[in-house]
Amino acid sequence: MLELLQTVIARSMLPGISPPAAILKLLTFDGRAPLEQRLSSLAEFDRAIFDVLPSSKRATLGNQPSRQQDCESLQLFYNPLGRLHIRRAGNEAPDYGLGAAINIGILSLERTLVAEAEARADDLKREELAWRAKLEKTLGDIEREGALAQLLDDVEDSVRHVEAVCFYVDDFLYAVMERATNLVSTKKGPGLIAALRERSPDTWRLSDKIAIVALRALFLSGNSVRFEEFNSVALTAKGVFARLNELCARYALALDEGFSPSSDILDLSRQCGALAARVKGDHWLRYRRVNGITFQKNETVTLLNDDRVVSDRLQEALHGIQEKWGHNGNDARAFFREMAEDAIRAAPKKEGGETGAYSAAVTPLEELIEDVVGSAVRSTTSDYGMSSSLRLPGALFVDDPATLRDRIAALSPKDFYCCIVGTQDLLEKYGSRLSTDVFRAVQARMQYNRWHFIPGNLPRASISADRHFFYPPVLPDLAEWVDQFHGGHARAGVRYSVRAPGPEIVQPPLMISGQAFRGFYDIRVVRTDGVPFTFSDLRVVRAHSQWMGLIWQKIVDACATRPDAAVRIDGFINGAGGMVARAHPNPVLHHVDETHGDARRALPVT
């Protein structure tokens, strides 16, 4: 992150760049994050300065203050997570507990504009206080009802089961993430929630009151994943109300019904969660746009229109897979159901197939899974793609919930596989490092993630307190710049990605032993550079995930009949993967051997 911020600073301070253009670059990380998202990260005064700056005739930006008598000096700096500040020179930088601020330079601006910005900031603060009063009242009601301890318990539990929580209230950070954790207790010491338990809310900072109530409200509206919409954002009471009302309105539109917003934040949150749970079917899509620098993940609810380009790409993809399996036709559902049934009934090992430690797909079923992944890679001109799930799904078919809970508790990451398929271009780029830096690293991470997701499907009370888990992914997402922060993503070249988990939220779940499962499998594709994926790419990947869902439904059906012997996935050993020639109209899969990093032609299915 520090290297990225230093690069952005250097480019923003080049000669000839105007102060408004420079600050735009600083705020958006030189175009790596959307302006509308980054504006919400600014504090009131900082935002007001950004708004008045284009009106300036004499603004300068440099390392030294201007000598103009009617101008005031403002200090520009980042905090270590990339939050931009524009503050009066000499004012002490906020202490986020992350280390020293990163100085950028000094903005000299007319005093009249600074005064105008200050007045605007005061107006914003007064308006926000009125909205905060609603959240303070909610907290007071909870305290009077004797439910404060339960509120803190609920908030603490929910922030532990999402990839990253990171937002600001005023100039205070609230976080549970890799680089910063202060909400919950760690080996370094007690967290904020533990400290709040020991004090009356009358002594809490106003920002603490807003943060705790907002976290509970956001969870009720959509589980912990809703927190991620406010990652790297200056969370405000007004903003939380606005976002929940916006989501409710979109869900109500999808359901073709009216919506009457509540003025009570928790009632509004419950309305939002109830509406979201009812959005089903094939016509509306809920998906998220993800920025890897800020960890912000914003949900969009959109009506799916007919798209001839997407249809053509999917038809070509289907025919490419069918040609390899000796079939034709346009009915993808019938094809994948038939092929999955045949593959499950086939012999455990392909005739002449590989049985060594570095095999990829070694059974017809595994090859069918690999073909779907390879098709998704080629259809989206990706560099590689993957799909992960459970190696022995029959182990979850039991007679009672307690046994299911115990079986899930006994799983380890090694009980999951990750099928990965790369391109010849990727092999040329990475050479012998492909198996270790990309395939092995990605597969291990996906196994670990899937291990985290599976228990998140169970009723919360049935999950042991010492079993860490994440709520399973239920929405497709488009992600950008994910290699700018996460070291593993940088090594594996994950700059742009599309993930389509399955079954997603608008589809029926997989039913196993009477328990509904989501996030049980997925399709994910990656580009290491070039241009970001588009919404059309997401639709193509999502269709491939639905094809994978047809395969998994047949696996589940087979396991329900023969849970101990129906399906066993032994291939997809870490470090080995398929290989597709991305430019070829019909993908031909190969295998990459971890020991040599070479490509060997896979034997055809017989």
Side-chain angles (χ1 to χ4, degrees), residues 171-389:
D171 281 343
F172 300 104
L173 173 69
Y174 297 83
V176 179
M177 60 187 303
E178 288 186 11
R179 292 192 59 191
T181 294
N182 61 8
L183 274 169
V184 299
S185 300
T186 65
K187 294 179 180 179
K188 295 180 180 179
L192 173 65
I193 295 174
L196 294 179
R197 292 181 190 279
E198 307 299 320
R199 295 161 36 204
S200 166
D202 291 341
T203 67
W204 294 8
R205 297 175 304 195
L206 179 56
S207 61
D208 295 339
K209 298 177 183 180
I210 302 311
I212 293 299
V213 176
L215 282 167
R216 184 56 183 162
L218 293 173
F219 179 83
L220 292 174
S221 75
N223 287 338
S224 296
V225 292
R226 189 75 77 203
F227 301 160
E228 295 172 312
E229 299 216 13
F230 289 85
N231 281 345
S232 299
V233 162
L235 183 147
T236 64
K238 178 183 177 182
V240 172
F241 270 102
R243 182 56 177 154
L244 293 179
N245 276 311
E246 178 187 6
L247 287 167
C248 284
R250 293 297 294 175
Y251 297 146
L253 179 63
L255 294 167
D256 193 24
E257 61 184 54
F259 160 63
S260 299
S262 172
S263 60
D264 179 274
I265 187 65
L266 297 186
D267 285 345
L268 178 62
S269 301
R270 293 185 182 97
Q271 280 183 278
C272 186
L275 287 168
R278 292 172 50 215
V279 177
K280 306 292 182 184
D282 298 326
H283 300 299
W284 287 88
L285 174 62
R286 297 172 57 193
Y287 74 99
R288 300 201 295 176
R289 287 189 174 271
V290 180
N291 189 283
I293 303 173
T294 65
F295 290 100
Q296 194 171 357
K297 303 179 180 181
N298 288 306
E299 180 180 335
T300 297
V301 187
T302 187
L303 179 65
L304 287 177
N305 297 314
D306 291 337
D307 187 323
R308 183 61 182 269
V309 173
V310 170
S311 298
D312 289 347
R313 289 168 66 184
L314 289 174
Q315 202 75 303
E316 180 182 357
L318 176 62
H319 291 165
I321 299 174
Q322 288 177 324
E323 182 177 355
K324 179 175 179 179
W325 289 78
H327 282 253
N328 54 47
N330 296 325
D331 189 340
R333 292 177 182 271
F335 168 73
F336 284 106
R337 285 169 176 161
E338 179 184 350
M339 289 302 96
E341 286 183 351
D342 290 348
I344 291 168
R345 289 196 300 264
K349 186 181 70 175
K350 294 185 302 183
E351 182 181 351
E354 301 165 14
T355 58
Y358 303 107
S359 58
V362 297
T363 68
L365 176 61
E366 291 164 16
E367 186 157 1
L368 182 60
I369 291 171
E370 192 175 65
D371 283 346
V372 175
V373 176
S375 173
V377 170
R378 187 200 169 279
S379 298
T380 55
T381 58
S382 300
D383 290 307
Y384 65 93
M386 68 210 77
S387 183
S388 58
S389 193

Side-chain angles (χ1 to χ4, degrees), residues 510-533:
L510 280 180
M511 297 302 300
I512 299 175
S513 300
Q515 174 64 50
F517 282 88
R518 298 193 184 279
F520 201 85
Y521 57 85
D522 64 351
I523 293 284
R524 184 187 299 224
V525 295
V526 168
R527 287 178 185 161
T528 61
D529 52 25
V531 298
F533 289 105

Side-chain angles (χ1 to χ4, degrees), residues 365-366 369 387-397 404 407-408 410-419 446-447 450-451 454-455 467 510 512 517 519-522 552 555-556 559 563 567-572:
L365 176 61
E366 291 164 16
I369 291 171
S387 183
S388 58
S389 193
L390 191 61
R391 288 191 177 279
L392 192 60
L396 300 188
F397 284 79
L404 177 63
R407 292 280 179 91
I408 289 177
L411 295 172
S412 75
K414 292 182 179 179
D415 292 310
F416 299 84
Y417 70 84
C418 177
C419 166
M446 292 302 101
Q447 289 170 308
R450 195 65 51 194
W451 173 75
I454 289 293
R467 172 60 159 99
L510 280 180
I512 299 175
F517 282 88
F520 201 85
Y521 57 85
D522 64 351
W552 266 101
I555 292 174
V556 167
C559 289
V567 176
R568 185 182 187 94
I569 297 176
D570 291 319
F572 308 134

